[in-house]
Amino acid sequence: MPALATLPAPPPANAKMNRLKSEEEEEYWNSSKCKAFTFEDDDQLSQLKESKRAVNSLRDFVDDDDDEQGKYSWTGEPVGSITWSIKETASSSRSTAEVRNLESTKGQNGNASYPFSRQASTYSISSLFKGRSKSGSFQALSDSILDTTARSFAPELRKPKGEYQDYSGDWSMEDTIKRMQKGKVYSLERFRSLTDKLALLDEAVRLHDGNVITAVLIFLKRTLSREILFRELEYRQVALRHFMHFLKEVGEQQLLLDLLRFLERTDELALTKYREQLSIQNAEERRDFLKTKCLGLPFSAEDGVHVQDHYTLLERQIIIEANDKHVEASGHDEIFRKHPRKTSILFMPLVTTLFYSCLYHYTEGEGTFSSPANLRKTFKIPEKLFVLTALAARAKLKDWHTVDTLLTTKNWLGYAKKRAPIGFHRVVEILQRNGAPVQVLQDYVQLVEDVDIRLTLATKYKCHNVVIDTYKDLKDRHQLMVYRCKVDRNSPEEEKIDILLKNTQIRWKN
């Protein structure tokens, strides 16, 4: 019986399925439009070069700053505008917060997975330098600093060399002066030699900048001795004037006096020393300072007289103030009760002291320090100034009798006559300002020499008799009739005008 041939075992089902799948994939790739790249294929190589050029051309579009000018968002705002950027930043912040919340949730739940995938990065290489993302949204500097999810890989740029030089202090003389003019940081310590310091001062003077000159002078004052500084300033008058003004402003009187003494300017030296008394508030101390420190200074002849008068006046004021303060406190003098003093007389000018004396001590004899006559004689007060001051003081007290006595003089024959060195028109103004009655005013209005001024004052202050008498003297019948309409009906003035108009002996000119 022949032996049976051993048949091969049938292939397993898995092998058959793998073979079928391999055949299907081979058929798919052979029928696909996408073909593998081979270096021998010239057509595919040319296509690769064209693709590379196309990719490179995209750089021009990425770097163009105007690519978003025609784009608008869903809300209607132009892409890149301020409103659009704010909304984009807010939405980005919300997205970041949601991601962080999900991360915290994942940490709590252990193996919990995200419900959605992470968003891809919105930044490109060019946006790192432009400050915006691929979507075009601009990011503020504070947002980019606070946002830890975004990393900036922009290189750190070096500062310009000029900014580092601001803190180096290695500048030339010209550069230092220019920096001082512009208000920048500067240093003068590198100028150590006398030649460099003087050249620095000359350069500042040449530019005519007072602030720079003063700053350099302060530096020289601190680094040079007085003798050298004074000697060099003597040949630089512009700088010298700035330095003297600076010393006056800061109150360095002793240094200023030393400088004036070195320059042999005796008049300025004396006046500068004299000004020191202004800072002394106590009357006795100021009087002693004038006596011991100022009277012996080398003033000019005219200035020396004024300083002597100042000392004498202050001495009188101290005596008058002490006496009047005691009398006012006692209450025995009537004038101090009716017109109390408003302020002290100390340190007052000569005219104010004379007014005060005419107000409270007018009737005193010439032998007392507070007498107006004594002040007039001691300080050689001119007649006009004395009459004007005394008239204002007595008119304030409404002492019209004293005013009349003041303006009345007698000639060598003994005849009394009204006389006003300041002019009667000013007398009328002062009296009217202090409330003088019409009867007093018209006595002085009719003494005004100028006819037009007299009529103006008489009409202004309603001195009717003066107006009527003036028109009568001018023989102006027409003006007299016009003025008749301005006075009250059946008044004495109207009757006076009617009598004059009926007088046939007057030759009227119209």
Side-chain angles (χ1 to χ4, degrees), residues 26 38-39 42 63 81 92 107 122 196 212 268 293 297 308 317 322 332 335-336 394 405-407 428 442 474 482:
E26 184 177 356
T38 58
F39 289 95
D42 295 336
D63 295 338
S81 63
S92 177
T122 58
D196 292 342
V212 177
E268 293 185 32
K293 301 294 183 62
L297 292 175
Q308 179 65 47
Q317 289 175 346
H332 297 318
I335 190 172
F336 285 104
R394 303 316 296 179
T405 305
L406 178 66
L407 298 176
V428 173
Q442 66 183 5
L474 294 175
V482 172

Side-chain angles (χ1 to χ4, degrees), residues 25 178 250 318 374 387:
E25 289 180 354
K178 290 180 181 179
V250 299
I318 294 174
N374 187 290
V387 172

Side-chain angles (χ1 to χ4, degrees), residues 69 127 148 151 184 202 214 278 320 343 355 375 394 397:
Q69 291 183 357
S127 67
T148 58
R151 295 182 180 180
K184 293 185 177 181
D202 294 336
T214 304
L278 297 175
I320 296 173
T343 185
F355 181 87
L375 291 175
R394 303 316 296 179
L397 298 176

